[in-house]
Amino acid sequence: MTIDTIRVPLGERSYDICVGAGLMARAGAKIAPFLPRPRVAVLTDENVAAAHLDALKAGLATDWIDVVSLALPAGEATKSWTALQQSVEWLLSERIERHDVLIAFGGGVIGDLAGFAAAILRRGIRFVQIPTSLLAQVDSSVGGKTAINSPIGKNLIGAFHQPSLVLADIDVLGTLTPRDFLAGYGEVVKYGMLGDLAFFEWLEANGPALAAGDAGLRQYAVRRSVEMKAAIVARDETEQGDRALLNLGHTFGHALEAATGYSDRLLHGEGVAVGCALAFEMSSRMGLCSQEDPSRVRAHLKAMDLKVDLADIPGELPDADTLIDLMGQDKKVIAGQLRMILARGIGDAFVTSDIPLDVLKSVLSDALAAR
Ligand code: GLY
């Protein structure tokens, strides 16, 4: 199969995203042009290291590239000050220099942590993303958002620091659990819903086969997702406007993630799926989109076996007012004013701060009552 290459056009910070099978084996050839000396540092997690680090090392060894690696515990707790300090001090002790390259090898947690470490090490070194989850391939590895979490909230400490290259190897998706794969699919379908009806229709037709493992369909879905993200990031690198579109479903989703303690009860991509369904319900009740649109969104998410309704989230949930309060912690809030992504139809989302609280409350109350 061929490799697709998508350019993120950001002037001197431009870079390529390569999508395809067998990229890990070709990592040496892809990364060598960026190296002043044949040596890289790899930051990863223990699960990814056990499953894939030997393959990555073999791919780098074909170009005689030496590897030093650090594997941190897998999981959201690794996006911490402690792990950042450990990573940065390890990079310094390995004498990683200003012109060397750090490889972020893992899912969104490792990508965000490694990217932030690269942003601050010696006032900034280059890094390459090799994302190993579907969510990281289609979202977090692209666009240069890097961060760790604070006890006050997720992703509150970080920097915009673009990678120099992204290698999305479709083969590694084969080792994901079905639940993790589907959670990543929540972000894939978001792209269709926010800006490309034809892609949404393609997903309606091909989603089940893609989830079942078809490599060609997976490659197209990742490619189309990163094309859309690249175009939005090129228009609005630091989220002054349009980039917020990428947060369709996230205002509801983040509130639900907070309400469920960022636990296994609701993965991020599942929260996005439930949040997209709520955003379309809200848009329909405001008369922005047709009444059929929320049903169609829900039907596709259900057909994929994704979480769709609040009833799909196990355990207790707080009442509508508490959820609205949690939505008020969203990073899109400006001067205390909630901003959300709503839609005029599937593939036609927009950012607005015109949020009628009575409609928002009735959408949430009805969704809670249906549990
Ligand atoms: N994940 C949203 C963004 O990168 O802007």
Side-chain angles (χ1 to χ4, degrees), residues 138-145 160 187 190-191 229 232-233 236-237 239 243-247 250 268:
V138 298
D139 184 25
S140 57
S141 67
V142 176
K145 280 190 180 173
F160 284 100
E187 295 278 5
K190 173 197 81 177
Y191 289 105
K229 179 148 187 186
I232 291 172
V233 168
D236 179 20
E237 184 179 5
E239 200 166 313
R243 186 165 176 163
L245 289 172
L246 296 169
N247 282 320
H250 284 59
H268 174 71

PDB file of all heavy atoms in Angstrom, residues 138-145 160 187 190-191 229 232-233 236-237 239 243-247 250 268, ligand 1:
ATOM      1  N   VAL A 138      -5.306  10.681  14.646  1.00  0.00           N
ATOM      2  CA  VAL A 138      -6.212  11.598  13.945  1.00  0.00           C
ATOM      3  C   VAL A 138      -6.344  12.947  14.635  1.00  0.00           C
ATOM      4  O   VAL A 138      -6.908  13.876  14.067  1.00  0.00           O
ATOM      5  CB  VAL A 138      -7.624  11.001  13.747  1.00  0.00           C
ATOM      6  CG1 VAL A 138      -7.554   9.753  12.902  1.00  0.00           C
ATOM      7  CG2 VAL A 138      -8.332  10.741  15.069  1.00  0.00           C
ATOM      8  N   ASP A 139      -5.856  13.041  15.870  1.00  0.00           N
ATOM      9  CA  ASP A 139      -6.085  14.305  16.575  1.00  0.00           C
ATOM     10  C   ASP A 139      -4.834  14.812  17.280  1.00  0.00           C
ATOM     11  O   ASP A 139      -4.179  15.752  16.829  1.00  0.00           O
ATOM     12  CB  ASP A 139      -7.253  14.160  17.573  1.00  0.00           C
ATOM     13  CG  ASP A 139      -7.589  15.462  18.264  1.00  0.00           C
ATOM     14  OD1 ASP A 139      -7.308  16.530  17.690  1.00  0.00           O
ATOM     15  OD2 ASP A 139      -8.123  15.436  19.387  1.00  0.00           O
ATOM     16  N   SER A 140      -4.436  14.160  18.386  1.00  0.00           N
ATOM     17  CA  SER A 140      -3.491  14.831  19.283  1.00  0.00           C
ATOM     18  C   SER A 140      -2.069  14.931  18.730  1.00  0.00           C
ATOM     19  O   SER A 140      -1.312  15.807  19.162  1.00  0.00           O
ATOM     20  CB  SER A 140      -3.486  14.159  20.660  1.00  0.00           C
ATOM     21  OG  SER A 140      -3.176  12.799  20.560  1.00  0.00           O
ATOM     22  N   SER A 141      -1.685  14.083  17.764  1.00  0.00           N
ATOM     23  CA  SER A 141      -0.302  14.180  17.259  1.00  0.00           C
ATOM     24  C   SER A 141      -0.137  15.319  16.255  1.00  0.00           C
ATOM     25  O   SER A 141       0.974  15.689  15.900  1.00  0.00           O
ATOM     26  CB  SER A 141       0.124  12.854  16.598  1.00  0.00           C
ATOM     27  OG  SER A 141      -0.616  12.636  15.423  1.00  0.00           O
ATOM     28  N   VAL A 142      -1.269  15.868  15.791  1.00  0.00           N
ATOM     29  CA  VAL A 142      -1.246  16.889  14.742  1.00  0.00           C
ATOM     30  C   VAL A 142      -1.650  18.236  15.334  1.00  0.00           C
ATOM     31  O   VAL A 142      -2.651  18.309  16.055  1.00  0.00           O
ATOM     32  CB  VAL A 142      -2.239  16.519  13.614  1.00  0.00           C
ATOM     33  CG1 VAL A 142      -2.305  17.615  12.572  1.00  0.00           C
ATOM     34  CG2 VAL A 142      -1.847  15.192  12.983  1.00  0.00           C
ATOM     35  N   GLY A 143      -0.885  19.277  15.071  1.00  0.00           N
ATOM     36  CA  GLY A 143      -1.353  20.609  15.440  1.00  0.00           C
ATOM     37  C   GLY A 143      -0.593  21.287  16.546  1.00  0.00           C
ATOM     38  O   GLY A 143      -0.819  22.460  16.819  1.00  0.00           O
ATOM     39  N   GLY A 144       0.307  20.560  17.229  1.00  0.00           N
ATOM     40  CA  GLY A 144       1.248  21.220  18.129  1.00  0.00           C
ATOM     41  C   GLY A 144       0.732  21.597  19.499  1.00  0.00           C
ATOM     42  O   GLY A 144       1.388  22.346  20.217  1.00  0.00           O
ATOM     43  N   LYS A 145      -0.450  21.088  19.898  1.00  0.00           N
ATOM     44  CA  LYS A 145      -0.862  21.338  21.287  1.00  0.00           C
ATOM     45  C   LYS A 145      -0.129  20.351  22.187  1.00  0.00           C
ATOM     46  O   LYS A 145      -0.204  19.137  21.957  1.00  0.00           O
ATOM     47  CB  LYS A 145      -2.374  21.147  21.449  1.00  0.00           C
ATOM     48  CG  LYS A 145      -3.192  22.323  20.984  1.00  0.00           C
ATOM     49  CD  LYS A 145      -4.649  22.154  21.392  1.00  0.00           C
ATOM     50  CE  LYS A 145      -5.482  23.332  20.932  1.00  0.00           C
ATOM     51  NZ  LYS A 145      -6.923  23.116  21.161  1.00  0.00           N
ATOM     52  N   PHE A 160       2.194  25.672  22.635  1.00  0.00           N
ATOM     53  CA  PHE A 160       2.067  25.271  21.233  1.00  0.00           C
ATOM     54  C   PHE A 160       3.479  24.986  20.737  1.00  0.00           C
ATOM     55  O   PHE A 160       4.350  25.863  20.796  1.00  0.00           O
ATOM     56  CB  PHE A 160       1.438  26.394  20.398  1.00  0.00           C
ATOM     57  CG  PHE A 160      -0.042  26.533  20.590  1.00  0.00           C
ATOM     58  CD1 PHE A 160      -0.573  27.511  21.419  1.00  0.00           C
ATOM     59  CD2 PHE A 160      -0.917  25.663  19.947  1.00  0.00           C
ATOM     60  CE1 PHE A 160      -1.945  27.633  21.597  1.00  0.00           C
ATOM     61  CE2 PHE A 160      -2.294  25.776  20.113  1.00  0.00           C
ATOM     62  CZ  PHE A 160      -2.814  26.761  20.947  1.00  0.00           C
ATOM     63  N   GLU A 187     -13.418  10.581  17.468  1.00  0.00           N
ATOM     64  CA  GLU A 187     -12.776  11.780  16.917  1.00  0.00           C
ATOM     65  C   GLU A 187     -12.814  11.763  15.384  1.00  0.00           C
ATOM     66  O   GLU A 187     -12.886  12.806  14.748  1.00  0.00           O
ATOM     67  CB  GLU A 187     -11.317  11.891  17.396  1.00  0.00           C
ATOM     68  CG  GLU A 187     -11.152  12.092  18.898  1.00  0.00           C
ATOM     69  CD  GLU A 187     -11.320  13.558  19.344  1.00  0.00           C
ATOM     70  OE1 GLU A 187     -11.656  14.421  18.513  1.00  0.00           O
ATOM     71  OE2 GLU A 187     -11.122  13.811  20.546  1.00  0.00           O
ATOM     72  N   LYS A 190     -16.207  12.833  14.232  1.00  0.00           N
ATOM     73  CA  LYS A 190     -16.333  14.270  14.528  1.00  0.00           C
ATOM     74  C   LYS A 190     -15.953  15.117  13.311  1.00  0.00           C
ATOM     75  O   LYS A 190     -16.603  16.121  13.012  1.00  0.00           O
ATOM     76  CB  LYS A 190     -15.418  14.605  15.713  1.00  0.00           C
ATOM     77  CG  LYS A 190     -15.295  16.062  16.044  1.00  0.00           C
ATOM     78  CD  LYS A 190     -14.090  16.346  16.938  1.00  0.00           C
ATOM     79  CE  LYS A 190     -12.783  16.432  16.143  1.00  0.00           C
ATOM     80  NZ  LYS A 190     -11.612  16.778  16.964  1.00  0.00           N
ATOM     81  N   TYR A 191     -14.891  14.710  12.570  1.00  0.00           N
ATOM     82  CA  TYR A 191     -14.470  15.516  11.407  1.00  0.00           C
ATOM     83  C   TYR A 191     -15.577  15.576  10.358  1.00  0.00           C
ATOM     84  O   TYR A 191     -15.831  16.622   9.768  1.00  0.00           O
ATOM     85  CB  TYR A 191     -13.197  14.950  10.778  1.00  0.00           C
ATOM     86  CG  TYR A 191     -11.963  15.168  11.628  1.00  0.00           C
ATOM     87  CD1 TYR A 191     -11.398  14.130  12.349  1.00  0.00           C
ATOM     88  CD2 TYR A 191     -11.386  16.432  11.714  1.00  0.00           C
ATOM     89  CE1 TYR A 191     -10.279  14.339  13.140  1.00  0.00           C
ATOM     90  CE2 TYR A 191     -10.274  16.645  12.504  1.00  0.00           C
ATOM     91  CZ  TYR A 191      -9.720  15.593  13.216  1.00  0.00           C
ATOM     92  OH  TYR A 191      -8.627  15.803  13.999  1.00  0.00           O
ATOM     93  N   LYS A 229      -7.826  18.245   9.802  1.00  0.00           N
ATOM     94  CA  LYS A 229      -7.203  18.927  10.947  1.00  0.00           C
ATOM     95  C   LYS A 229      -6.094  19.859  10.450  1.00  0.00           C
ATOM     96  O   LYS A 229      -5.966  20.986  10.929  1.00  0.00           O
ATOM     97  CB  LYS A 229      -6.669  17.923  11.965  1.00  0.00           C
ATOM     98  CG  LYS A 229      -6.008  18.652  13.129  1.00  0.00           C
ATOM     99  CD  LYS A 229      -6.111  17.969  14.443  1.00  0.00           C
ATOM    100  CE  LYS A 229      -5.559  18.891  15.539  1.00  0.00           C
ATOM    101  NZ  LYS A 229      -5.488  18.283  16.841  1.00  0.00           N
ATOM    102  N   ILE A 232      -7.477  23.117   9.168  1.00  0.00           N
ATOM    103  CA  ILE A 232      -7.986  24.001  10.238  1.00  0.00           C
ATOM    104  C   ILE A 232      -6.819  24.608  11.019  1.00  0.00           C
ATOM    105  O   ILE A 232      -6.795  25.806  11.311  1.00  0.00           O
ATOM    106  CB  ILE A 232      -8.962  23.231  11.159  1.00  0.00           C
ATOM    107  CG1 ILE A 232     -10.241  22.899  10.396  1.00  0.00           C
ATOM    108  CG2 ILE A 232      -9.274  24.035  12.419  1.00  0.00           C
ATOM    109  CD1 ILE A 232     -11.217  21.982  11.118  1.00  0.00           C
ATOM    110  N   VAL A 233      -5.794  23.780  11.333  1.00  0.00           N
ATOM    111  CA  VAL A 233      -4.637  24.285  12.085  1.00  0.00           C
ATOM    112  C   VAL A 233      -3.886  25.329  11.249  1.00  0.00           C
ATOM    113  O   VAL A 233      -3.414  26.342  11.783  1.00  0.00           O
ATOM    114  CB  VAL A 233      -3.705  23.108  12.484  1.00  0.00           C
ATOM    115  CG1 VAL A 233      -2.367  23.605  12.989  1.00  0.00           C
ATOM    116  CG2 VAL A 233      -4.382  22.248  13.556  1.00  0.00           C
ATOM    117  N   ASP A 236      -5.632  28.565  11.689  1.00  0.00           N
ATOM    118  CA  ASP A 236      -5.761  29.122  13.048  1.00  0.00           C
ATOM    119  C   ASP A 236      -4.918  28.292  14.019  1.00  0.00           C
ATOM    120  O   ASP A 236      -5.453  27.535  14.821  1.00  0.00           O
ATOM    121  CB  ASP A 236      -7.253  29.093  13.447  1.00  0.00           C
ATOM    122  CG  ASP A 236      -7.492  29.625  14.842  1.00  0.00           C
ATOM    123  OD1 ASP A 236      -6.632  30.347  15.378  1.00  0.00           O
ATOM    124  OD2 ASP A 236      -8.548  29.304  15.421  1.00  0.00           O
ATOM    125  N   GLU A 237      -3.593  28.499  13.926  1.00  0.00           N
ATOM    126  CA  GLU A 237      -2.664  27.634  14.682  1.00  0.00           C
ATOM    127  C   GLU A 237      -2.910  27.698  16.190  1.00  0.00           C
ATOM    128  O   GLU A 237      -2.850  26.689  16.883  1.00  0.00           O
ATOM    129  CB  GLU A 237      -1.210  28.046  14.363  1.00  0.00           C
ATOM    130  CG  GLU A 237      -0.179  27.157  15.022  1.00  0.00           C
ATOM    131  CD  GLU A 237       1.245  27.567  14.683  1.00  0.00           C
ATOM    132  OE1 GLU A 237       1.452  28.600  14.003  1.00  0.00           O
ATOM    133  OE2 GLU A 237       2.168  26.850  15.117  1.00  0.00           O
ATOM    134  N   GLU A 239      -5.626  28.764  17.926  1.00  0.00           N
ATOM    135  CA  GLU A 239      -7.033  28.746  18.344  1.00  0.00           C
ATOM    136  C   GLU A 239      -7.571  30.119  18.739  1.00  0.00           C
ATOM    137  O   GLU A 239      -8.107  30.311  19.824  1.00  0.00           O
ATOM    138  CB  GLU A 239      -7.248  27.735  19.480  1.00  0.00           C
ATOM    139  CG  GLU A 239      -8.721  27.332  19.604  1.00  0.00           C
ATOM    140  CD  GLU A 239      -8.960  26.108  20.474  1.00  0.00           C
ATOM    141  OE1 GLU A 239      -8.240  25.108  20.303  1.00  0.00           O
ATOM    142  OE2 GLU A 239      -9.846  26.164  21.320  1.00  0.00           O
ATOM    143  N   ARG A 243     -10.146  27.076  14.953  1.00  0.00           N
ATOM    144  CA  ARG A 243      -9.625  25.818  15.496  1.00  0.00           C
ATOM    145  C   ARG A 243     -10.579  25.240  16.549  1.00  0.00           C
ATOM    146  O   ARG A 243     -10.616  24.027  16.771  1.00  0.00           O
ATOM    147  CB  ARG A 243      -8.215  26.012  16.072  1.00  0.00           C
ATOM    148  CG  ARG A 243      -7.596  24.693  16.516  1.00  0.00           C
ATOM    149  CD  ARG A 243      -6.105  24.776  16.753  1.00  0.00           C
ATOM    150  NE  ARG A 243      -5.623  23.497  17.263  1.00  0.00           N
ATOM    151  CZ  ARG A 243      -4.371  23.107  17.279  1.00  0.00           C
ATOM    152  NH1 ARG A 243      -3.429  23.886  16.812  1.00  0.00           N
ATOM    153  NH2 ARG A 243      -4.034  21.930  17.764  1.00  0.00           N
ATOM    154  N   ALA A 244     -11.343  26.116  17.173  1.00  0.00           N
ATOM    155  CA  ALA A 244     -12.301  25.637  18.179  1.00  0.00           C
ATOM    156  C   ALA A 244     -13.318  24.663  17.576  1.00  0.00           C
ATOM    157  O   ALA A 244     -13.926  23.872  18.294  1.00  0.00           O
ATOM    158  CB  ALA A 244     -13.008  26.819  18.840  1.00  0.00           C
ATOM    159  N   LEU A 245     -13.494  24.700  16.225  1.00  0.00           N
ATOM    160  CA  LEU A 245     -14.409  23.743  15.590  1.00  0.00           C
ATOM    161  C   LEU A 245     -14.028  22.303  15.919  1.00  0.00           C
ATOM    162  O   LEU A 245     -14.875  21.412  15.978  1.00  0.00           O
ATOM    163  CB  LEU A 245     -14.378  23.911  14.062  1.00  0.00           C
ATOM    164  CG  LEU A 245     -15.018  25.169  13.482  1.00  0.00           C
ATOM    165  CD1 LEU A 245     -14.716  25.255  11.989  1.00  0.00           C
ATOM    166  CD2 LEU A 245     -16.519  25.141  13.728  1.00  0.00           C
ATOM    167  N   LEU A 246     -12.715  22.089  16.128  1.00  0.00           N
ATOM    168  CA  LEU A 246     -12.236  20.743  16.442  1.00  0.00           C
ATOM    169  C   LEU A 246     -12.777  20.265  17.781  1.00  0.00           C
ATOM    170  O   LEU A 246     -12.634  19.108  18.137  1.00  0.00           O
ATOM    171  CB  LEU A 246     -10.698  20.714  16.471  1.00  0.00           C
ATOM    172  CG  LEU A 246     -10.017  21.019  15.138  1.00  0.00           C
ATOM    173  CD1 LEU A 246      -8.523  21.227  15.334  1.00  0.00           C
ATOM    174  CD2 LEU A 246     -10.257  19.871  14.151  1.00  0.00           C
ATOM    175  N   ASN A 247     -13.376  21.190  18.519  1.00  0.00           N
ATOM    176  CA  ASN A 247     -13.935  20.842  19.823  1.00  0.00           C
ATOM    177  C   ASN A 247     -15.416  20.503  19.760  1.00  0.00           C
ATOM    178  O   ASN A 247     -16.095  20.493  20.797  1.00  0.00           O
ATOM    179  CB  ASN A 247     -13.707  21.989  20.821  1.00  0.00           C
ATOM    180  CG  ASN A 247     -12.282  21.975  21.324  1.00  0.00           C
ATOM    181  OD1 ASN A 247     -11.732  20.920  21.588  1.00  0.00           O
ATOM    182  ND2 ASN A 247     -11.687  23.141  21.439  1.00  0.00           N
ATOM    183  N   HIS A 250     -16.966  18.493  22.499  1.00  0.00           N
ATOM    184  CA  HIS A 250     -16.023  18.460  23.630  1.00  0.00           C
ATOM    185  C   HIS A 250     -16.527  19.214  24.861  1.00  0.00           C
ATOM    186  O   HIS A 250     -16.115  18.886  25.966  1.00  0.00           O
ATOM    187  CB  HIS A 250     -14.663  19.033  23.208  1.00  0.00           C
ATOM    188  CG  HIS A 250     -13.843  18.092  22.366  1.00  0.00           C
ATOM    189  ND1 HIS A 250     -14.268  17.597  21.159  1.00  0.00           N
ATOM    190  CD2 HIS A 250     -12.614  17.542  22.577  1.00  0.00           C
ATOM    191  CE1 HIS A 250     -13.338  16.807  20.649  1.00  0.00           C
ATOM    192  NE2 HIS A 250     -12.328  16.745  21.495  1.00  0.00           N
ATOM    193  N   HIS A 268     -12.070   9.486  26.680  1.00  0.00           N
ATOM    194  CA  HIS A 268     -12.217  10.808  26.061  1.00  0.00           C
ATOM    195  C   HIS A 268     -13.031  10.737  24.752  1.00  0.00           C
ATOM    196  O   HIS A 268     -13.983  11.504  24.551  1.00  0.00           O
ATOM    197  CB  HIS A 268     -10.837  11.425  25.819  1.00  0.00           C
ATOM    198  CG  HIS A 268     -10.910  12.716  25.058  1.00  0.00           C
ATOM    199  ND1 HIS A 268     -11.400  13.872  25.613  1.00  0.00           N
ATOM    200  CD2 HIS A 268     -10.594  13.012  23.774  1.00  0.00           C
ATOM    201  CE1 HIS A 268     -11.376  14.838  24.702  1.00  0.00           C
ATOM    202  NE2 HIS A 268     -10.888  14.343  23.583  1.00  0.00           N
TER     203      HIS A 268
HETATM  204  N1  GLY B   1      -7.776  18.590  19.817  1.00  0.00           N
HETATM  205  C1  GLY B   1      -8.163  19.872  19.425  1.00  0.00           C
HETATM  206  C2  GLY B   1      -7.087  20.685  18.818  1.00  0.00           C
HETATM  207  O1  GLY B   1      -6.016  20.191  18.544  1.00  0.00           O
HETATM  208  O2  GLY B   1      -7.257  21.860  18.627  1.00  0.00           O
END
